[in-house]
Amino acid sequence: MAGWISSSAQIQHPKASPAALVEQQVGFSKISISYSRPAVRGRLIFGDLVPYGRIWRVGANESTKITVDSDIHIMGNVLAKGTYAIYAFPQKDAWEIVFHTNTTHWGDGRKAYNPKEDAFRIKVKPKSMASLQENFLISFDAITHNSAQLIFQWEYTEIVIPIVVDTDAQMRKEINQQLKTNPTAQTYYEAARYFQEQGTDTKLALRYLENAINLGGDTYYFHRVKSLVEATMNNYSDAIRSAKKSLKLAEEEDKDEFVRMNKKNIEEWTKLLEKNKK
């Protein structure tokens, strides 16, 4: 029939604001964010294309979604396991960031948006960037076992949102369970390495490393972590002795990286030991 066009004949074309997905592991928690990435394209963004004081979908097209597979903490608020829409109310000097329980709205929801469905709101001060971010970008940085920064960047504006997860409680539970049911050399070593990386429970970490060595024998990585724990305790003589053992074992296995790290630490700790003797 003339003039009739099948829907299957419609041209598919790429979106001006392409979809993106960013995922980040923080401790035991996985955080995923799906969003779209509009471009500046020579336009003035905040205060113009994105008006001040009006709800913004934090991207383009569909609303931006954040999914967390366990509870996380954001500026004193608990974001429970689940999926949420992220909205923002930009202002020149401060932004309100919204974590919203209703994920069914297209875009920012506008008239359908109901603040009673917010999980919570936070206030964040925007920062100025020296260089242009052409496409809206969501990323994570400053990642540790227990925390991370959620970052929005577009044009010359940056928003940084601190995130905290309770990895330590989960890790201690796992350590206690494993040492109760599976007290192997590797289990003691992994527990000690965690405490060494966190800079906590040094005496317990040292005892675990001694148990690891007694059960599993001498390894360059057992003695390497033992030297780091002893140095944290300011026991530089013991730290140097452990580092020399680790160095010798690393040389025998051609572990060049550990050879270099041990040599560097031995030199550093020898200077500190001599300084403390004066």
Side-chain angles (χ1 to χ4, degrees):
M1 181 183 295
W4 181 84
I5 300 175
S6 169
S7 60
S8 62
Q10 293 179 1
I11 297 174
Q12 299 296 317
H13 57 83
K15 291 183 178 180
S17 302
L21 175 66
V22 57
E23 294 184 338
Q24 183 61 57
Q25 196 78 25
V26 183
F28 293 117
S29 300
K30 181 180 177 181
I31 306 172
S32 305
I33 299 179
S34 60
Y35 70 111
S36 295
R37 303 191 61 193
V40 174
R41 296 200 294 275
R43 300 172 293 181
L44 178 62
I45 302 301
F46 297 108
D48 191 354
L49 180 68
V50 179
Y52 287 138
R54 196 172 81 178
I55 190 170
W56 179 48
R57 73 192 75 183
V58 192
N61 304 323
E62 297 181 28
S63 60
T64 292
K65 308 292 195 309
I66 180 170
T67 300
V68 292
D69 67 358
S70 62
D71 295 358
I72 65 173
H73 300 261
I74 301 178
M75 298 179 67
N77 302 279
V78 177
L79 189 66
K81 176 181 177 181
T83 299
Y84 304 83
I86 304 179
Y87 297 122
F89 289 85
Q91 295 284 5
K92 186 175 181 179
D93 298 322
W95 284 32
E96 276 193 313
I97 308 296
V98 180
F99 294 88
H100 192 67
T101 61
N102 190 333
T103 61
T104 64
H105 300 317
W106 172 262
D108 57 24
R110 294 295 172 90
K111 293 181 179 180
Y113 166 75
N114 183 354
K116 291 182 179 180
E117 295 178 312
D118 293 348
F120 57 84
R121 294 188 181 196
I122 56 172
K123 284 191 176 182
V124 182
K125 289 186 177 182
K127 299 180 180 180
S128 295
M129 300 190 299
S131 58
L132 174 71
Q133 176 61 48
E134 174 64 24
N135 285 87
F136 176 59
L137 177 66
I138 296 180
S139 63
F140 292 89
D141 200 12
I143 302 158
T144 71
H145 291 324
N146 302 297
S147 63
Q149 293 178 344
L150 172 59
I151 301 173
F152 303 156
Q153 294 176 323
W154 200 19
E155 195 185 25
Y156 295 101
T157 298
E158 178 181 67
I159 295 293
V160 179
I161 302 170
I163 292 173
V164 175
V165 298
D166 194 2
T167 301
D168 190 63
Q170 296 178 63
M171 190 64 185
R172 288 175 184 272
K173 182 179 179 180
E174 177 70 12
I175 287 171
N176 291 335
Q177 180 64 27
Q178 289 296 323
L179 290 180
K180 181 179 179 180
T181 60
N182 187 36
T184 65
Q186 190 67 20
T187 305
Y188 279 114
Y189 164 71
E190 294 289 351
R193 189 179 67 173
Y194 171 75
F195 290 135
Q196 179 269 316
E197 289 173 348
Q198 295 300 106
T200 60
D201 298 82
T202 50
K203 290 183 179 179
L204 184 59
L206 190 58
R207 178 154 59 86
Y208 284 171
L209 286 162
E210 290 167 350
N211 289 345
I213 293 168
N214 289 335
L215 288 171
D218 293 320
T219 70
Y220 66 88
Y221 48 92
F222 285 177
H223 286 289
R224 167 68 182 165
V225 176
K226 186 170 181 284
S227 73
L228 295 174
V229 172
E230 289 163 338
T232 300
M233 300 171 73
N234 296 323
N235 296 336
Y236 296 118
S237 294
D238 291 343
I240 292 167
R241 191 157 39 249
S242 295
K244 286 181 176 179
K245 288 182 181 179
S246 178
L247 172 62
K248 181 176 181 296
L249 292 164
E251 286 176 332
E252 291 173 358
E253 295 191 37
D254 197 25
K255 300 294 182 180
D256 178 67
E257 181 182 0
F258 282 86
V259 169
R260 288 185 283 109
M261 288 191 296
N262 280 308
K263 284 182 176 179
K264 182 178 180 180
N265 285 140
I266 289 168
E267 181 180 352
E268 175 190 346
W269 296 335
T270 299
K271 289 179 181 177
L272 289 171
L273 188 61
E274 292 172 353
K275 181 180 178 180
N276 291 343
K277 289 179 179 178
K278 293 180 181 180

